[in-house]
């Protein structure tokens, strides 16, 4: 070492071996994310749903596809060993936990034929894939499930699952507001568990886990009557629920039958949640031929924006969903090419040139260029 030079040795920093199962940091901000159970939806939201947030799902008309999304959400919790809590209206109703899709090691992709691989094309296009990758292939987080099979009961029994039955609160409810208060109190008791609460200090001995909460058909006639006063109760419930989960390791998914309420009330519901998506099913109506491969449109009403000035925005907001034989997927909405006989083709239409000056002045005569 030359005279007068100074060498500085930096001690390696001690990294804390602390992690929450089933979570991963966001690539765009400092949030801790968890999977929704649908890889394509995780990619749309920027990697997953943030912990301490409320996801609002606007149900489709027959509540078919929104219920599938809730099952995927709970199935991901069972696969990661998370705590789960669901709100059920009546104890005799079938529970969502009894019909979760089965965990599979990898995604089930349709096999494509290889007869086009020998086709000679321009060298600049040889490295380009002939098919567009679906959104689910981009996401690296979460698991894959087969909706045609049920999840193993041993995996479900190993999780901390509880259910809140609204039927038990009916004798004590004198007004519509009482039901909201009782359910919110029951949810608060679940969140206050030290395992699901954010500690003041984190070390290697700290054990934390994620609590997944599901409230299906929130605001249905079993909850309250359809009125402006009931819409006020719903918005206030969502605001209180959002404050409860914000300082905890909880993620809550709430589905609402929005067709029962006015558009102004639905906008307030979206404002009281952290993220809002809408499912518009094609069931019961004449389907456009351009959308024949899809079951409905998937619309993003609000993107999660926690601890950031701007949310993550996906490549496009034109999305559609499809319930395939073994899985539920969300795809980019693309229109097929126009191959009708009336479609214009380059080189077949008549070109018009002008007779006179080269700049284009004079009378225009329709002719065909013959090379």
């Amino acid at each position: 070492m030359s005279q007068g030079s100074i060498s500085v040795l930096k001690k390696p920093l001690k990294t804390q071996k602390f992690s929450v199962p089933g979570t991963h940091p966001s690539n765009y901000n400092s949030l801790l994310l968890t999977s929704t159970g649908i890889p394509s939806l995780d990619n749309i939201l920027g990697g997953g749903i943030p912990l301490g947030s409320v996801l609002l799902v606007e149900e489709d008309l027959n509540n078919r596809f929104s219920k599938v999304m809730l099952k995927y959400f709970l199935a991901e919790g069972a696969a990661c060993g998370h705590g789960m809590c669901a709100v059920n209206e009546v104890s005799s109703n079938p529970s969502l936990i009894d019909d979760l899709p089965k965990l599979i090691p990898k995604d089930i992709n349709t096999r494509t034929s290889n007869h086009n691989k020998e086709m000679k094309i321009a060298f600049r296009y040889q490295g380009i894939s002939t098919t567009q990758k679906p959104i689910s292939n981009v996401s690296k987080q979460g698991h894959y499930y087969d909706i045609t099979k049920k999840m193993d009961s041993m995996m479900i029994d190993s999780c901390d699952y509880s259910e809140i039955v609204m039927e038990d609160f009916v004798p004590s409810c004198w007004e519509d507001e009482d039901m909201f208060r009782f359910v919110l109190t029951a949810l608060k008791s679940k969140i206050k568990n030290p395992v699901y609460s954010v500690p003041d200090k984190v070390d290697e001995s700290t054990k934390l886990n994620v609590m997944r909460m599901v409230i299906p058909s929130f605001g249905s006639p079993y909850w309250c009557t359809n009125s402006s006063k009931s819409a006020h109760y719903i918005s206030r419930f969502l605001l209180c629920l959002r404050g409860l989960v914000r300082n905890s390791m909880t993620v809550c998914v709430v589905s609402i039958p929005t067709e029962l309420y006015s558009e102004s009330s639905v906008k307030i519901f979206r404002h009281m949640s952290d993220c809002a998506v809408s499912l518009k099913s094609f069931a019961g109506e004449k389907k456009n031929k351009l959308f024949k491969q899809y079951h409905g449109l998937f619309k993003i009403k609000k993107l999660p924006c926690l601890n950031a000035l701007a949310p993550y925005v996906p490549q496009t907001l034109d999305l559609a969903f499809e319930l395939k034989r073994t899985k539920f997927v969300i795809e980019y909405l693309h229109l097929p090419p126009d191959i009708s006989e009336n479609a214009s083709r380059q080189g077949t239409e008549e070109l018009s040139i002008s007779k006179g000056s080269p700049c284009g002045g004079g009378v225009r005569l329709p002719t065909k260029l013959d090379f």
Side-chain angles (χ1 to χ4, degrees):
M1 182 174 61
S2 62
Q3 187 178 3
S5 62
I6 301 175
S7 62
V8 179
L9 297 178
K10 292 184 179 181
K11 295 182 178 180
L13 299 177
K14 294 182 179 180
T15 57
Q16 294 182 352
K17 297 181 180 180
F18 172 78
S19 62
V20 182
T23 62
H24 59 277
S26 174
N27 296 329
Y28 308 97
N29 46 46
S30 59
L31 296 177
L32 194 62
L33 308 179
T34 185
S35 175
T36 60
I38 306 175
S40 53
L41 180 58
D42 293 340
N43 181 69
I44 294 171
L45 299 179
I49 181 171
L51 297 184
S53 61
V54 177
L55 172 61
L56 181 67
V57 179
E58 300 178 14
E59 297 178 355
D60 54 291
L61 187 60
N62 297 327
N63 192 19
R64 177 190 176 190
F65 303 102
S66 57
K67 186 178 293 185
V68 172
M69 290 184 61
L70 298 182
K71 292 180 180 179
Y72 269 97
F73 181 74
L74 291 178
E76 182 67 21
C80 298
H82 294 167
M84 296 179 291
C85 179
V87 179
N88 198 356
E89 296 177 353
V90 185
S91 58
S92 59
N93 289 346
S95 179
L96 293 174
I97 201 69
D98 298 332
D99 194 20
L100 298 183
K102 184 180 180 180
L103 178 67
I104 57 178
K106 61 180 180 179
D107 190 15
I108 301 177
N109 296 322
T110 56
R111 298 181 179 180
T112 57
S113 58
N114 299 328
H115 64 278
N116 291 328
K117 287 188 176 181
E118 301 298 331
M119 185 176 60
K120 300 296 182 180
I121 58 177
F123 70 94
R124 68 178 64 183
Y125 302 117
Q126 290 180 358
I128 302 178
S129 176
T130 56
T131 58
Q132 183 186 11
K133 294 182 179 180
I135 308 178
S136 58
N137 287 354
V138 181
S139 178
K140 303 298 181 181
Q141 306 296 335
H143 301 85
Y144 297 97
Y145 304 91
D146 186 357
I147 59 177
T148 60
K149 302 177 182 179
K150 291 186 178 182
M151 180 174 287
D152 188 7
S153 59
M154 295 182 61
M155 180 178 294
I156 299 176
D157 296 338
S158 61
C159 301
D160 180 17
Y161 176 77
S162 59
E163 200 170 71
I164 299 175
V165 183
M166 298 172 55
E167 187 181 14
D168 301 337
F169 304 137
V170 172
S172 303
C173 294
W174 298 94
E175 297 180 0
D176 291 342
E177 187 180 8
D178 296 338
M179 180 62 70
F180 294 94
R181 185 173 67 253
F182 290 145
V183 174
L184 188 64
T185 304
L187 293 176
K188 182 179 179 181
S189 63
K190 303 292 182 182
I191 297 176
K192 292 303 180 181
N193 191 325
V195 181
Y196 309 120
S197 302
V198 178
D200 298 332
K201 185 179 180 181
V202 177
D203 51 21
E204 295 182 1
S205 61
T206 305
K207 294 183 179 180
L208 296 177
N209 201 357
V210 178
M211 167 60 73
R212 292 175 177 256
M213 290 186 171
V214 169
I215 307 179
S217 299
F218 178 61
S220 63
Y222 196 90
W223 283 81
C224 57
T225 58
N226 186 7
S227 62
S228 58
K229 195 174 182 179
S230 300
H232 174 69
Y233 294 152
I234 295 175
S235 59
R236 189 166 63 178
F237 179 92
L238 291 175
L239 180 61
C240 296
L241 179 63
R242 188 178 176 183
L244 285 176
V245 304
R246 181 68 83 239
N247 297 324
S248 64
M249 309 291 292
T250 306
V251 179
C252 187
V253 177
V254 183
S255 65
I256 296 182
T258 53
E259 69 276 358
L260 301 178
Y261 299 93
S262 61
E263 184 62 27
S264 59
S265 299
V266 174
K267 289 182 179 179
I268 298 177
F269 301 159
R270 298 169 186 165
H271 182 70
M272 294 302 173
S273 59
D274 296 301
C275 180
V277 296
S278 175
L279 299 177
K280 184 181 178 182
S281 174
F282 295 146
E285 61 183 40
K286 188 177 181 180
K287 185 186 297 186
N288 193 330
K289 293 182 179 180
L290 300 177
F291 304 145
K292 60 181 181 179
Q293 70 179 86
Y294 305 113
H295 288 93
L297 300 178
F298 188 87
K299 299 182 179 180
I300 300 178
K301 300 298 182 179
K302 184 179 181 181
L303 289 168
C305 184
L306 282 72
N307 301 337
L309 297 177
Y312 167 81
V313 181
Q315 296 180 3
T316 178
L317 298 179
D318 297 330
L319 304 168
F321 63 88
E322 180 183 2
L323 184 60
K324 297 184 178 181
R325 188 179 65 88
T326 59
K327 59 183 178 178
F328 176 86
V329 294
I330 302 172
E331 300 176 350
Y332 295 124
L333 181 60
H334 292 286
L335 299 180
D338 187 7
I339 56 176
S340 60
E341 296 180 357
N342 296 330
S344 61
R345 295 291 181 266
Q346 183 178 2
T348 59
E349 62 271 14
E350 293 184 350
L351 302 178
S352 60
I353 61 175
S354 60
K355 181 180 180 181
S357 65
C359 298
V363 183
R364 306 182 68 86
L365 299 176
T367 60
K368 292 185 178 180
L369 295 178
D370 187 13
F371 295 98

